[in-house]
């Protein structure tokens, strides 16, 4: 199956731009094919153990200056091009681009600022549980080239897509899910408009026979989407969902089929094309309205693929949520602790407080990427949560903004500055009342402090339960 890649590289001078996990995967596949005349690597860092078959290793601050010396450049998602892609003479490709060119009719692509990993893994689990031939691909784990030998004509490919993977894409999946867009990654894109455009590549190259399931929060402009559009709306959300989209004012398509997730008489139901499905909240592990909206996206896709409601329910009940996403860690001295380390934006911290209504303490803060925290500040002012611990650079900025610009902030004594996570956890242990919850939902990135949000979450768990482990209940 990897022979499908040959038309892009046969007889070409090929450069691998970036040599992380995806770059190494590309190297291994291209070496097996042996159809490129030159295979070199450009990476900012030099490696001591350089693989065989590479004639030239380009590193250092000018490592991107050589791109036009090659016919084809396979760019890794984490590499930022120094110039716009159209200014290069070489062809800029990626694993995702070539993989989609080969299999786009079999792909369900999922993106969004938040929730895409939950939707992706849930959908894959539901399909697998119901007996579909399916694989999990994309940003969630294994590089897509490493999966090509497992794909048959009937295989359904469930693919999570990051903004970096989508940024230069010229092909879109047969079924696309765009769950939400919030202010994020401005340190990379510079403007919200550029970030949004990267996300919109999930549908910009769709065909009339394709399907887009899209939140009403981020509808395409009229004329942009030629596929079948399904508008998705969380009826329990407080409009507008995001300040940026309040300004966009894209009209809702009146002729588009709708997917709606709403609360109704102490239940949450999904309405989709004439069907009503009641989420079995007391039998599933996913918590919170934002997760119920994610279930709605998965439900719509499963109905398109003709899955029965019985199979959907069985798979939903059996699904184990991903870690660090409002994950219950355990109970210590009467306090329930939750890890929501995946939270890097205002909306996720707000959703954590909406879900855990007994929250006594919330830990907020991390790397400061310059996003607008007005939405979170205004919500915290109205929230009854008695202890708001603000840590790291972001926490310091939020504290300063509140004290300087929000004199009407309700009960400012609730704000507790902390230097680092270690200090924040110690304070949380001292102030959180038994019978209540403490949640770390940082609304900020972990980079520069931890390797990733996973390490941050594990560190939080270790700090919480370092003392008196015999009192811990799991």
């Amino acid at each position: 199956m990897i022979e499908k890649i040959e038309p892009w590289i046969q007889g070409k001078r090929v450069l691998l731009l970036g040599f992380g996990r995806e770059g190494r995967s590309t190297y291994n596949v291209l070496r097996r094919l042996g159809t490129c005349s030159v295979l070199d690597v450009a990476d900012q860092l030099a490696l001591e153990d350089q693989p065989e078959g590479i004639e030239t290793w380009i590193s250092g601050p000018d490592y991107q200056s050589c791109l036009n010396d090659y016919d084809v450049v396979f760019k890794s998602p984490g590499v930022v091009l120094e110039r716009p892609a159209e200014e290069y003479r070489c062809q800029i490709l990626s694993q995702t681009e070539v993989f989609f060119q080969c299999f786009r009719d079999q792909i369900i692509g999922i993106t969004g600022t938040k929730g895409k990993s939950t939707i992706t893994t849930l959908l894959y689990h539901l399909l697998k549980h119901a007996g579909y031939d399916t694989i999990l691909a994309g940003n969630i784990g294994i590089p897509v080239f490493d999966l090509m030998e497992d794909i048959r004509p009937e295989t359904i490919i469930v693919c999570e897509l990051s903004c970096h993977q989508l940024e230069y894409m010229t092909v879109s999946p047969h079924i696309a899910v765009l769950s939400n867009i919030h202010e994020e990654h401005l340190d990379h894109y510079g403007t919200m408009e550029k970030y949004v455009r990267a996300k919109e590549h999930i549908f910009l190259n769709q065909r009339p026979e394709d399907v887009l399931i899209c939140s009403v929060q981020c509808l395409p402009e009229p004329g942009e989407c030629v596929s079948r559009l399904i508008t998705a709306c969380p009826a329990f959300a407080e409009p507008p969902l995001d300040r940026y989209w309040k300004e966009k004012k894209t009209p809702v398509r009146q002729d588009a089929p709708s997917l709606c997730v709403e609360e109704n008489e102490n239940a949450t139901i999904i309405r989709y094309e004439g069907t009503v499905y009641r989420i079995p909240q007391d039998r599933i592990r996913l918590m919170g309205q934002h997760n119920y909206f994610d279930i709605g996206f998965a439900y719509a896709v499963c109905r398109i693929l003709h899955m029965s409601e019985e199979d959907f329910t069985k798979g939903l009940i059996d699904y184990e949520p991903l870690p660090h996403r409002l994950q219950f860690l355990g109970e210590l001295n009467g306090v329930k602790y939750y890890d929501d380390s995946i939270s890097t934006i205002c909306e996720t911290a707000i959703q954590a407080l909406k879900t855990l209504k007994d929250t006594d303490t919330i830990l907020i803060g991390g790397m400061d990427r310059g996003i607008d925290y007005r939405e979170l500040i205004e919500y915290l002012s109205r929230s009854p949560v008695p202890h708001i611990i603000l840590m790291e650079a972001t926490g310091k900025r939020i504290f300063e903004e509140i004290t300087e610009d929000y004199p009407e902030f309700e009960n400012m004594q609730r704000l507790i500055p902390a230097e680092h996570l270690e200090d924040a956890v110690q304070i949380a242990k001292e102030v959180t009342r038994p019978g209540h919850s403490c949640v770390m939902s940082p609304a900020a990135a972990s980079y520069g402090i931890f390797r990733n949000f996973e390490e941050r979450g594990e560190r939080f768990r270790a700090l919480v339960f370092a003392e008196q482990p015999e009192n811990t209940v799991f």
Side-chain angles (χ1 to χ4, degrees):
M1 190 64 74
I2 62 171
E3 290 75 17
K4 285 179 172 285
I5 301 171
E6 286 186 340
W8 280 272
I9 64 168
Q10 198 157 26
K12 303 287 182 64
R13 292 174 56 84
V14 177
L15 179 72
L16 304 183
L17 184 58
F19 206 66
R21 181 172 56 183
E22 185 168 306
R24 293 173 184 272
S25 166
T26 305
Y27 162 78
N28 291 330
V29 170
L30 298 190
R31 282 280 289 166
R32 285 173 59 191
L33 289 172
T35 55
C36 50
S37 56
V38 175
L39 179 58
D40 294 341
V41 170
D43 195 291
Q44 196 163 14
L45 302 175
L47 294 182
E48 293 181 4
D49 183 22
Q50 297 176 8
E52 296 180 0
I54 294 175
E55 296 185 11
T56 307
W57 186 280
I58 304 102
S59 62
D62 299 324
Y63 76 108
Q64 291 194 30
S65 62
C66 63
L67 270 59
N68 281 330
D69 296 336
Y70 295 84
D71 302 309
V72 173
V73 174
F74 275 89
K75 188 187 82 66
S76 294
V79 176
V80 180
L81 289 177
E82 295 174 350
R83 290 153 46 190
E86 58 271 14
E87 292 186 10
Y88 292 97
R89 293 192 305 272
C90 58
Q91 184 180 17
I92 305 290
L93 291 177
S94 65
Q95 274 205 15
T96 307
E97 170 79 19
V98 174
F99 185 81
F100 272 52
Q101 293 284 0
C102 295
F103 301 108
R104 59 142 257 128
D105 291 342
Q106 298 172 241
I107 295 174
I108 303 166
I110 299 106
T111 198
T113 304
K114 292 298 172 186
K116 56 184 178 293
S117 295
T118 295
I119 298 170
T120 302
T121 54
L122 173 60
L123 183 55
Y124 169 75
H125 173 83
L126 290 165
L127 293 172
K128 198 77 174 176
H129 196 274
Y132 289 75
D133 180 356
T134 183
I135 64 169
L136 184 65
N139 189 56
I140 196 74
I142 303 172
V144 290
F145 277 8
D146 295 351
L147 300 168
M148 293 184 71
E149 299 291 3
D150 300 326
I151 298 173
R152 296 185 290 271
E154 64 274 15
T155 302
I156 298 172
I157 304 164
V158 183
C159 189
E160 178 185 322
L161 295 161
S162 70
C163 54
H164 303 306
Q165 290 171 309
L166 287 165
E167 188 171 5
Y168 300 105
M169 289 285 283
T170 64
V171 59
S172 299
H174 171 52
I175 298 177
V177 174
L178 177 55
S179 61
N180 55 63
I181 301 180
H182 298 286
E183 194 175 55
E184 180 77 297
H185 297 298
L186 298 191
D187 53 328
H188 173 84
Y189 289 99
T191 68
M192 188 65 179
E193 288 78 7
K194 290 181 180 179
Y195 170 61
V196 169
R197 205 58 178 172
K199 286 290 190 186
E200 289 179 337
H201 277 99
I202 198 164
F203 65 76
L204 286 177
N205 296 288
Q206 282 194 308
R207 303 169 184 171
E209 66 271 19
D210 296 332
V211 178
L212 169 62
I213 307 174
C214 181
S215 169
V216 294
Q217 177 221 15
C218 40
L219 284 170
E221 298 288 354
E224 276 191 326
C225 181
V226 296
S227 60
R228 177 188 175 208
L229 174 66
I230 299 171
T231 60
C233 176
F236 44 69
E238 298 175 6
L241 298 180
D242 188 272
R243 290 179 182 274
Y244 176 82
W245 297 104
K246 179 165 59 176
E247 298 169 2
K248 188 173 180 181
K249 296 180 181 177
T250 302
V252 176
R253 310 291 177 82
Q254 298 300 321
D255 58 338
S258 64
L259 165 69
C260 188
V261 183
E262 60 186 53
E263 290 182 318
N264 184 14
E265 297 179 358
N266 299 318
T268 302
I269 61 173
I270 301 170
R271 298 185 186 275
Y272 174 66
E273 294 198 314
T275 64
V276 177
Y277 176 80
R278 177 170 176 158
I279 296 176
Q281 294 170 242
D282 57 339
R283 301 170 66 193
I284 64 176
R285 299 177 182 90
L286 281 170
M287 298 169 52
Q289 296 171 338
H290 58 300
N291 280 320
Y292 300 153
F293 193 39
D294 293 343
I295 292 171
F297 282 107
Y299 179 81
V301 174
C302 288
R303 294 297 301 209
I304 291 170
L305 298 177
H306 309 294
M307 182 184 295
S308 70
E309 285 198 1
E310 181 182 5
D311 283 341
F312 182 86
T313 300
K314 288 179 180 177
L316 182 59
I317 293 170
D318 191 62
Y319 174 71
E320 185 71 39
L322 294 169
H324 313 298
R325 292 156 172 85
L326 211 57
Q327 178 187 11
F328 176 60
L329 299 180
E331 186 174 318
L332 179 65
N333 297 328
V335 175
K336 299 184 289 293
Y337 288 91
Y338 290 84
D339 168 18
D340 195 31
S341 185
I342 189 68
S343 166
T344 59
I345 61 172
C346 296
E347 178 67 19
T348 46
I350 292 170
Q351 287 297 335
L353 290 173
K354 287 183 176 179
T355 301
L356 303 174
K357 300 185 186 303
D358 68 341
T359 299
D360 202 56
T361 304
I362 183 169
L363 281 62
I364 294 172
M367 174 188 174
D368 189 359
R369 290 188 291 181
I371 70 172
D372 185 350
Y373 280 100
R374 285 178 294 170
E375 181 184 11
L376 178 58
I377 290 171
E378 291 167 5
Y379 183 85
L380 290 173
S381 179
R382 303 188 305 269
S383 170
V385 60
H387 306 112
I388 303 167
I389 301 177
L390 300 170
M391 58 188 178
E392 303 291 352
T394 301
K396 182 178 180 181
R397 177 160 75 88
I398 293 172
F399 183 82
E400 291 175 351
E401 287 186 13
I402 292 174
T403 54
E404 294 174 7
D405 303 328
Y406 291 86
E408 72 283 3
F409 191 93
E410 296 182 15
N411 193 4
M412 205 171 291
Q413 291 73 24
R414 296 179 296 152
L415 305 177
I416 307 173
E419 194 69 23
H420 302 298
L421 179 61
E422 290 80 1
D423 310 298
V425 171
Q426 183 59 43
I427 294 170
K429 287 183 174 183
E430 295 171 1
V431 302
T432 308
R433 296 170 296 172
H436 295 78
S437 293
C438 171
V439 58
M440 179 185 68
S441 189
S446 60
Y447 302 119
I449 308 166
F450 301 95
R451 287 196 304 269
N452 47 45
F453 73 85
E454 292 94 343
E455 185 183 58
R456 177 169 63 185
E458 292 305 320
R459 182 63 180 153
F460 176 65
R461 177 199 288 267
L463 289 167
V464 167
F465 298 114
E467 301 174 4
Q468 300 174 301
E470 68 275 6
N471 293 333
T472 305
V473 179
F474 292 101

